[in-house]
């Protein structure tokens, strides 16, 4: 019988045995892991699942109310781990809390206090409460199976190990030695006989032995350098580390390597690396898996529960409707519902309450009503105040079935596994009657999803994502260690909330550093058994220096002293700008889910050299050239051509944001409506009593703000702000009339031909007419901005085009912004002649669109102020261009190379 650390070692061991025998056929010995061997032993008593034990601990903590403000589910999980550890190491606690407290006092070497007595009481009382059950826990059952197995073993045992075994396994092997021959092959001892591993062993053991670095390097080097085996790469951030790993993996594939291991220390970098590899059509076989909490099959579940608990907050509902698992039997219905719901909430700002969503849909989008009613029917299944966890899970299944989610899960591998998990938990908890609220159950479910892992078994690829412990006794063609900084390798010790190392020593528990010792041993074995290894880390993280793992730092220092080389890979960094993958249009079909063979032709196409990334300069296809433009769109074009391209060609800002809180935009809208109604009722202020006019204006203001006040008390603040401006506005209006102007019209729509088929369209806030000349007009644009801000807009001629456009369409003699922001109301006009400025502004617009039709590029060169508030800066990726650009100029003419520039 051969006991393996994992089944991955079975294949290479079988090949090695066959090669050593030199026979065409060989009857192999039985190979298994100790855990699976023990599982084959039946027990006479039942075994309580960890799910049941966790709930028992939770109920005990909740009943005792020791931690009223704590997350009891996490605390229960921590205590469950402690209980298992006490069982695993055969720790017997004193029979009384007082005796246990004295033991803790001695171990802590401190005076007895309330906190220490409380710690002793919690652990002692819960330990005996859990021990009172007749059923065995999983750890105790495993130990009992090992004890039975040790009395039944009749064949010699051969054990492969890379690090020290846990106490139950050591006791098992000791019992087996009394009956049969037990041979242990410790990889650490075998590697110690290899001169090539001497420096590795010295480096990784150095911190423990405290030897002088130089003497260790000189005495243990044995004349074997590691430059051909191990390399280090320090990246300038997460993106560069992922890019370096992507390029190196593809280079290894081009070299013909068929077994490449990516040992993941940093999951964030691994996620980005996987995306880069799949973009190059290199599929990944993932042994580490992903927690269910990160998968879309769980996202639809948690979004559904968040929507129910949050009274159907619009964002939760929208996220839910965008999930392909909702209404899976009718995706057309779901997509239409998602689009219509988004339009509805953006137009009307209905933020909460499913019934209000349904009422709004009945008025304006009747096709949306059946989908929302279906949500309401499913939500009624989850309206109980308290239920058992099993009861909640049953209700959840019914609600998800009604929503079509179960149908969608059945078509998805991850969904199938999640359904199995939910059914298993419901079965395990069927007999438990502990009552939990909706929020308690939801927190439990969230923790369960975060602790269980999904592994995609359908991918067979030469590129394997794995973790360090899974590499024991395995050889690969090449190994990439990802995320080897000091924060990830070794990972921080999880000492837990209970007991320091002094107490653990007193109780007979292993010290917290044992975990790091295992990591060190696994790393040594991996480096020694594999001839091509690259370790990467972020030398700079978030603008701060980030230290390399102490293991590799020691190895680098010793190798530098011994051989004058620090193992740093200086070649890889220079390849990154030239190795960007570009998928051709003919390649943009869905990637295969299973990749068994990677052809050399494809790999070479995926790794072809590309030009460095440049600033985006999109050219608008003729069929997408806008035929209409507003003054605000013209302003966007002047500010940054790429911004205009993203906003008005790609329509990426087509929908307005849903404003949950009142802001200045709402204030401006209300003030515009107030003034429109006021001047329609009193066109000439001088003909009316000023006191009467003020009363009319205040009445209209109250009426306009009434709807907002009914929904949000904060509207009162905006109303008071406007009411404080009313006297100043009336005074300004009288001055305008005294200068010979009269109110003519408000909210005047316009549409004017510019050039070709381009139309300038929009709406004028207000038009005044001259008393002396009926053909002379003035255009006024209300702004809830400061006087200084408006002056800055007009400081550079042509930078802000709104007034010039308005003046052109109305043939106005004057145009002005009117500030309604400060304590005074004041008009701001351009210094230039408005008619001349209008002509130049419209002529420039026609010339720019002529250039766009000719194929001019639209680069991103907005000023820093423009970019700071631009919602498209993540799309153009400002700051990542390799060539410098002068972004302070305005659009004026066609530049070199056929591009719009300043």
């Amino acid at each position: 019988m051969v006991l393996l650390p994992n089944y991955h070692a079975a294949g290479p061991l079988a090949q090695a045995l066959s090669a050593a025998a030199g026979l065409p056929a060989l009857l192999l010995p039985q190979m298994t892991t100790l855990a699976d061997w023990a599982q084959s032993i039946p027990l006479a008593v039942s075994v309580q699942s960890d799910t049941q034990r966790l709930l028992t601990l939770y109920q005990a903590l909740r009943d005792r109310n020791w931690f009223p403000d704590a997350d009891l589910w996490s605390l229960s999980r921590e205590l469950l781990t402690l209980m298992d550890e006490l069982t695993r190491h055969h720790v017997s606690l004193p029979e009384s809390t007082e005796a246990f407290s004295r033991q803790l006092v001695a171990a802590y070497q401190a005076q007895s206090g309330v906190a220490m007595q409380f710690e002793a009481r919690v652990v002692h009382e819960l330990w005996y409460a859990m021990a009172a059950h007749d059923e065995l826990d999983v750890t105790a059952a495993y130990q009992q199976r090992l004890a039975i197995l040790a009395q039944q073993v009749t064949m010699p045992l051969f054990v492969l190990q890379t690090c020290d075994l846990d106490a139950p396994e050591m006791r098992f092997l000791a019992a087996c030695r009394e009956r049969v021959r037990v041979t242990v092959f410790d990889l650490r001892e075998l590697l110690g006989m290899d001169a090539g591993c001497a420096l590795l062993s010295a480096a990784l053991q150095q911190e423990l032995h405290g030897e002088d670095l130089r003497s260790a390097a000189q005495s243990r080097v044995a004349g074997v350098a590691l430059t051909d085996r191990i390399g280090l790469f320090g990246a300038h951030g997460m993106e560069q580390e992922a890019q370096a790993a992507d390029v190196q993996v593809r280079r290894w594939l081009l070299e013909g390597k068929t077994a490449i291991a990516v040992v993941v220390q940093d999951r964030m970098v691994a996620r980005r690396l996987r995306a880069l590899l799949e973009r190059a059509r290199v599929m990944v076989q993932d042994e580490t898996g992903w927690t269910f909490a990160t998968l879309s099959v769980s996202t639809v579940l948690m979004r559904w529960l968040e929507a129910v608990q949050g009274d159907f907050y619009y964002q939760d509902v929208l996220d839910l409707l965008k999930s392909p698992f909702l209404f899976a039997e009718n995706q057309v219905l779901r997509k239409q519902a998602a689009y219509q719901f988004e339009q509805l909430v953006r137009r009307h700002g209905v933020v909460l309450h499913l019934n209000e969503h349904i009422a709004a849909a009945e008025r304006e989008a009747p096709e949306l009503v059946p989908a929302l009613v279906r949500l309401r029917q499913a939500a009624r299944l989850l309206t109980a105040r308290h239920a058992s966890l099993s009861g909640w899970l049953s209700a959840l299944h019914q609600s998800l079935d009604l929503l079509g989610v179960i149908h969608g899960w059945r078509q998805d591998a991850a969904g199938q596994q999640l359904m199995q998990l939910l059914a298993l938990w419901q079965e395990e908890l069927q007999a438990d009657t502990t009552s939990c609220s909706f929020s308690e159950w939801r927190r439990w479910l969230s923790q369960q999803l975060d602790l269980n892992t999904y592994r995609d078994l359908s991918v067979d690829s030469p590129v394997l994502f794995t973790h360090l412990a899974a590499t024991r006794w395995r050889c690969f063609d090449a190994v990439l260690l990802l995320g080897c900084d000091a924060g990830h390798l070794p990972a921080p010790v999880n000492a837990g909330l209970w007991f320091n190392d002094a107490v653990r020593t007193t109780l007979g528990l292993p010290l917290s550093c044992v975990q790091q010792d295992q990591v060190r041993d696994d790393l040594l074995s991996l480096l020694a058994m594999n001839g091509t290894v690259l370790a990467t880390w972020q030398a700079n993280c978030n603008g701060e220096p980030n230290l390399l793992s102490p293991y590799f730092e020691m190895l680098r220092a010793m190798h530098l002293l011994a051989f004058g080389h620090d193992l740093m890979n200086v070649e890889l960094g220079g390849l990154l700008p030239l190795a960007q993958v570009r998928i051709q249009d003919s390649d943009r079909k869905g990637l295969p889910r299973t990749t068994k063979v990677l052809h050399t032709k494809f790999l070479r196409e995926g790794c072809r050299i590309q030009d460095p990334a440049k600033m985006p300069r999109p050219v608008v296809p003729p069929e997408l050239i806008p035929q209409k433009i507003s003054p605000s769109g013209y302003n966007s074009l002047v500010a940054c051509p790429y911004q205009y391209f993203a906003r008005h060609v790609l329509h990426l800002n087509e929908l307005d944001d849903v404003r949950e809180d009142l802001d200045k935009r709402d204030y401006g809208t209300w003030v515009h409506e107030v003034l429109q109604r006021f001047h329609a009722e009193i066109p000439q202020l001088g003909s009316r009593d000023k006191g009467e006019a003020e009363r009319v204006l205040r009445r209209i203001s109250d009426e306009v703000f009434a709807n907002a006040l009914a929904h949000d008390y904060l509207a009162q603040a905006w109303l008071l702000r406007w009411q404080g401006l009313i006297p100043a506005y009336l005074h300004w209006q009288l001055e305008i009339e005294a200068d010979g102007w009269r109110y003519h019209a408000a909210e005047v729509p316009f549409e004017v031909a510019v050039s070709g088929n381009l139309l300038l369209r929009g709406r004028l806030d207000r038009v005044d007419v001259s008393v002396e000349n009926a053909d002379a007009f003035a255009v006024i644009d209300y702004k809830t901005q400061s006087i200084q801000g408006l002056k800055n807009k007009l400081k550079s001629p042509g930078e802000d085009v709104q007034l010039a456009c308005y003046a052109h369409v109305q043939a106005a003699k004057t145009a002005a912004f009117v500030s309604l922001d400060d304590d005074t109301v004041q008009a701001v006009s351009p210094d230039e002649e408005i008619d001349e400025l209008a002509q130049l502004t419209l002529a420039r617009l026609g010339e720019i669109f002529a250039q766009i039709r000719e194929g001019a590029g639209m680069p991103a060169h907005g000023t820093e102020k423009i970019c700071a508030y631009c919602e498209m800066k993540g799309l153009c990726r400002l700051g990542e261009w390799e060539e410098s650009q002068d972004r302070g100029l305005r659009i004026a003419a066609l530049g070199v190379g056929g591009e719009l520039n300043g």
Side-chain angles (χ1 to χ4, degrees):
M1 174 71 73
V2 180
L3 296 182
L4 305 172
N6 53 63
Y7 285 113
H8 302 297
L13 178 59
Q15 294 173 2
L17 291 174
S18 179
L23 299 174
L26 180 67
L27 183 61
L28 294 172
Q30 184 178 354
M31 302 180 191
T32 186
T33 63
L34 186 54
D36 283 357
W37 194 16
Q39 197 64 34
S40 66
I41 303 299
L43 294 178
V45 295
S46 59
V47 179
Q48 189 179 33
S49 68
D50 285 343
T51 307
Q52 295 169 303
R53 296 172 63 219
L54 180 70
L55 182 57
T56 301
L57 274 174
Y58 179 83
Q59 185 178 10
L61 288 173
R62 188 177 64 177
D63 292 344
R64 288 164 174 79
N65 198 29
W66 284 332
F67 307 94
D69 300 322
D71 179 4
L72 295 186
W73 287 119
S74 297
L75 187 57
S76 300
R77 180 74 58 181
E78 182 80 28
L79 283 165
L80 187 64
T81 302
L82 176 62
M83 301 297 175
D84 288 341
E85 201 170 15
L86 292 172
T87 301
R88 186 179 303 113
H89 295 279
H90 289 187
V91 175
S92 297
L93 298 186
E95 294 185 0
S96 67
T97 304
E98 291 75 14
F100 187 38
S101 179
R102 289 193 296 270
Q103 188 175 4
L104 293 184
V105 169
Y108 280 121
Q109 295 182 351
Q111 294 182 352
S112 178
V114 174
M116 198 171 301
Q117 293 174 1
F118 178 67
E119 181 182 19
R121 181 186 176 191
V122 170
V123 176
H124 187 273
E125 193 168 324
L126 292 178
W127 166 260
Y128 278 99
M130 296 292 289
H133 291 272
D134 296 332
E135 297 176 309
L136 290 176
D137 59 58
V138 175
T139 303
Y142 176 60
Q143 291 180 331
Q144 194 169 115
R145 286 190 172 103
L146 287 182
I148 297 172
L149 190 60
Q151 300 303 314
Q152 296 178 356
V153 63
T154 59
M155 63 187 75
L157 297 182
F158 299 91
V159 184
L160 305 185
Q161 70 177 56
T162 58
C163 56
D164 294 335
L165 299 175
D166 286 342
E169 288 81 4
M170 294 178 65
R171 287 192 295 268
F172 168 76
L173 292 181
C176 288
R177 284 190 178 96
E178 299 177 359
R179 297 175 54 86
V180 298
R181 181 166 61 92
V182 177
T183 305
V184 177
F185 295 95
D186 193 323
L187 187 58
R188 292 169 295 181
E189 297 176 1
L190 298 177
L191 296 176
M193 297 183 291
D194 181 5
C197 300
L199 188 61
L200 286 173
S201 180
L204 271 62
Q205 300 282 349
Q206 180 67 23
E207 188 176 12
L208 297 178
H209 296 310
E211 298 176 7
D212 177 71
L213 187 63
R214 184 177 297 275
S215 63
Q218 294 175 349
S219 63
R220 301 194 184 190
V221 66
V224 180
L226 301 175
T227 49
D228 295 334
R229 297 177 54 180
I230 300 175
L232 304 174
F233 180 81
H236 301 297
M238 184 184 76
E239 182 66 20
Q240 191 186 43
E241 184 181 7
Q243 290 176 356
D246 165 52
V247 170
Q248 186 58 66
V249 167
R250 290 190 280 129
R251 291 176 72 195
W252 282 336
L253 288 171
L254 286 174
E255 294 171 5
K257 299 186 186 301
T258 57
I260 300 172
V262 179
V263 182
V264 176
Q265 307 295 328
D266 189 333
R267 295 295 292 174
M268 292 294 293
V269 183
R271 184 184 291 270
R272 179 57 180 151
L273 171 59
R274 182 168 186 166
L276 292 176
L277 289 172
E278 290 185 352
R279 186 175 69 176
R281 297 201 176 194
V282 178
M283 301 300 289
V284 171
Q285 182 179 346
D286 194 347
E287 288 182 355
T288 61
W290 301 95
T291 62
F292 276 97
T294 64
L295 301 180
S296 59
V297 292
S298 298
T299 300
V300 65
L301 164 61
M302 298 312 293
R303 285 292 180 273
W304 168 237
L305 298 181
E306 287 170 7
V308 173
Q309 189 173 19
D311 202 5
F312 290 89
Y313 173 61
Y314 83 95
Q315 192 63 64
D316 293 334
V317 178
L318 189 58
D319 289 345
L320 189 64
L321 290 172
K322 289 181 178 180
S323 171
F325 295 101
L326 188 76
F327 306 152
E329 75 287 352
N330 191 342
Q331 286 296 293
V332 174
L333 170 66
R334 180 193 61 79
K335 292 177 180 179
Q336 290 177 345
Y339 174 77
Q340 292 169 344
F341 182 77
E342 189 168 15
Q343 295 283 341
L344 188 69
V345 296
R346 291 180 188 277
R347 284 197 305 267
H348 298 283
V350 181
V351 176
L352 284 175
H353 312 307
L354 185 56
N355 287 334
E356 290 193 14
H357 294 317
I358 293 175
E362 288 174 340
R363 293 192 301 270
E364 296 201 19
E367 308 87 5
L368 176 61
V369 174
L372 297 181
V373 169
R374 195 167 166 183
L375 293 180
R376 183 168 61 185
Q377 292 171 345
R380 287 172 177 166
L381 298 170
L382 297 169
T383 55
R385 296 182 62 86
H386 288 83
S388 66
L389 293 185
S390 178
W392 281 120
L393 289 171
S394 176
L396 174 66
H397 186 277
Q398 295 176 43
S399 69
L400 294 177
D401 194 21
L402 183 58
L403 295 174
V405 174
I406 300 297
H407 177 81
W409 281 355
R410 291 195 182 105
Q411 317 304 317
D412 184 88
Q416 293 170 12
Q417 289 192 24
L418 180 55
M419 290 174 59
Q420 292 171 3
L421 271 178
L422 293 172
L424 174 64
W425 296 334
Q426 185 175 353
E427 181 181 354
E428 290 177 343
L429 298 170
Q430 190 69 45
D432 194 281
T433 58
T434 303
S435 179
C436 295
S437 66
F438 183 91
S439 60
E440 287 178 303
W441 165 66
R442 186 184 155 201
R443 286 195 298 272
W444 170 82
L445 183 59
S446 177
Q447 185 186 79
Q448 292 291 105
L449 294 175
D450 200 43
L451 292 172
N452 286 269
T453 304
Y454 164 73
R455 293 177 177 85
D456 188 353
L457 304 178
S458 64
V459 177
D460 183 12
S461 170
V463 181
L464 172 72
F465 276 27
T466 187
H467 55 93
L468 192 56
T471 63
R472 295 170 181 171
W473 286 87
R474 298 172 75 179
C475 293
F476 303 94
D477 293 340
V479 175
L480 184 116
L481 283 155
L482 196 68
C484 295
D485 57 63
H488 290 93
L489 184 67
V493 175
N494 182 18
L497 301 175
W498 311 95
F499 308 152
N500 63 13
D501 278 348
V503 178
R504 297 178 70 86
T505 301
T506 302
L507 295 176
L509 296 174
L511 302 181
S512 56
C513 63
V514 170
Q515 299 175 14
Q516 294 188 344
D517 292 342
Q518 291 181 344
V519 170
R520 180 203 63 213
D521 292 340
D522 288 338
L523 179 61
L524 174 61
S525 301
L526 176 67
L527 296 178
M529 292 189 65
N530 293 276
T532 303
V533 178
L534 175 68
T536 67
W537 89 101
Q538 297 175 50
N540 291 280
C541 185
N542 298 323
E544 298 291 335
N546 191 35
L547 297 178
L548 178 62
S549 165
Y551 297 144
F552 282 107
E553 189 63 59
M554 188 67 68
L555 177 61
R556 181 171 68 169
M558 293 185 68
H559 199 274
L560 180 63
L561 289 172
F563 300 102
H565 193 287
D566 63 358
L567 299 176
M568 294 300 295
N569 187 321
V570 296
E571 176 193 13
L572 186 56
L575 296 177
L576 301 188
L578 305 175
Q580 300 291 326
V581 172
R582 299 289 186 271
I583 297 179
Q584 302 295 333
D585 290 340
S586 59
D587 296 334
R588 293 184 184 275
K589 297 180 180 179
L591 299 180
R593 186 171 181 82
T594 303
T595 304
K596 294 187 176 180
V597 179
L598 292 175
H599 298 287
T600 303
K601 176 180 180 295
F602 164 72
L603 289 172
R604 294 195 181 279
E605 291 176 352
C607 299
R608 59 187 179 273
I609 302 301
Q610 299 291 339
D611 293 332
K614 296 181 179 180
M615 182 181 72
R617 294 179 177 87
V619 174
V620 184
E623 64 274 12
L624 295 183
I625 295 176
Q627 298 182 6
K628 299 175 182 178
I629 190 171
S630 67
S632 62
Y634 189 4
N635 261 339
S636 176
L637 182 60
V638 171
C640 175
Y642 188 88
Q643 182 191 83
Y644 176 82
F645 172 80
R647 284 180 174 177
H648 301 282
V649 176
L650 301 182
H651 301 288
L652 297 182
N653 72 329
E654 192 169 36
L655 297 175
D656 295 328
D657 292 333
V658 178
R659 298 198 297 274
E660 302 176 38
D661 300 317
L662 302 180
D663 59 20
K664 210 167 188 178
R665 286 176 291 179
D666 298 295
Y667 173 65
T669 301
W670 298 326
V671 169
H672 277 63
E673 182 179 352
V674 167
L675 294 179
Q676 180 186 8
R677 289 178 54 182
F678 172 69
H679 288 295
E681 188 169 336
I682 305 180
Q684 185 175 347
L685 187 60
S687 63
R688 304 286 290 269
D689 178 71
K690 185 178 179 180
E692 179 189 356
E694 182 172 344
R695 287 192 293 273
V696 171
L697 184 53
R698 291 186 181 277
R699 171 180 56 79
I700 294 174
S701 300
D702 290 339
E703 292 171 357
V704 170
F705 278 79
N707 184 56
L709 287 169
H711 290 84
D712 194 330
Y713 68 92
L714 292 177
Q716 183 67 44
W718 293 109
L719 175 58
L720 293 174
R721 181 173 183 170
W722 164 241
Q723 288 174 338
L725 269 178
I726 286 178
Y729 179 80
L730 294 175
H731 177 74
W732 173 82
Q733 177 62 29
L734 289 172
E735 288 183 342
I736 290 294
E737 294 181 2
D739 290 338
W741 296 98
R742 296 289 183 270
Y743 171 82
H744 179 66
E747 298 299 322
V748 181
F750 65 84
E751 189 171 273
V752 177
V754 178
S755 65
N757 59 352
L758 179 65
L759 295 176
L760 177 68
R761 63 186 303 181
R763 188 178 296 272
L764 303 177
D765 282 356
R766 170 174 162 179
V767 178
D768 285 4
V769 63
S770 172
V771 176
E772 299 177 355
N773 182 1
D775 295 327
F777 295 99
V779 174
I780 291 174
D781 193 48
Y782 297 125
K783 295 290 185 183
T784 55
Q785 300 176 30
S786 67
I787 293 292
Q788 189 57 49
L790 296 176
K791 288 181 178 179
N792 292 337
K793 277 178 176 287
L794 302 178
K795 184 180 296 183
S796 299
E799 181 127 352
D800 189 284
V801 302
Q802 277 188 292
L803 289 181
C805 291
Y806 294 156
H808 174 81
V809 300
Q810 190 63 38
K813 298 299 182 181
T814 181
F817 290 132
V818 175
S819 172
L820 302 175
D821 184 66
D822 299 323
D823 294 336
T824 60
V825 177
Q826 184 176 342
V828 182
S829 299
D831 294 333
E832 298 76 25
E833 293 293 332
I834 193 64
D835 53 351
E836 181 181 355
L837 184 61
Q839 292 177 6
L840 292 174
T841 299
L842 269 292
R844 180 177 61 173
L845 179 59
E847 181 181 352
I848 290 174
F849 265 80
Q851 296 169 11
I852 292 175
R853 295 187 192 101
E854 293 172 0
M858 306 189 74
H861 58 40
T863 63
E864 291 184 7
K865 183 177 180 181
I866 295 296
C867 293
Y869 297 98
C870 179
E871 72 277 18
M872 302 301 167
K873 61 183 177 182
L875 188 63
C876 74
R877 296 192 300 172
L878 178 67
E880 295 186 13
W881 312 324
E882 293 194 356
E883 62 184 44
S884 61
Q885 287 288 327
D886 179 8
R887 299 184 296 107
L889 301 177
R890 300 178 300 277
I891 298 175
L894 182 62
V896 178
E899 296 173 355
L900 293 176
N901 59 31

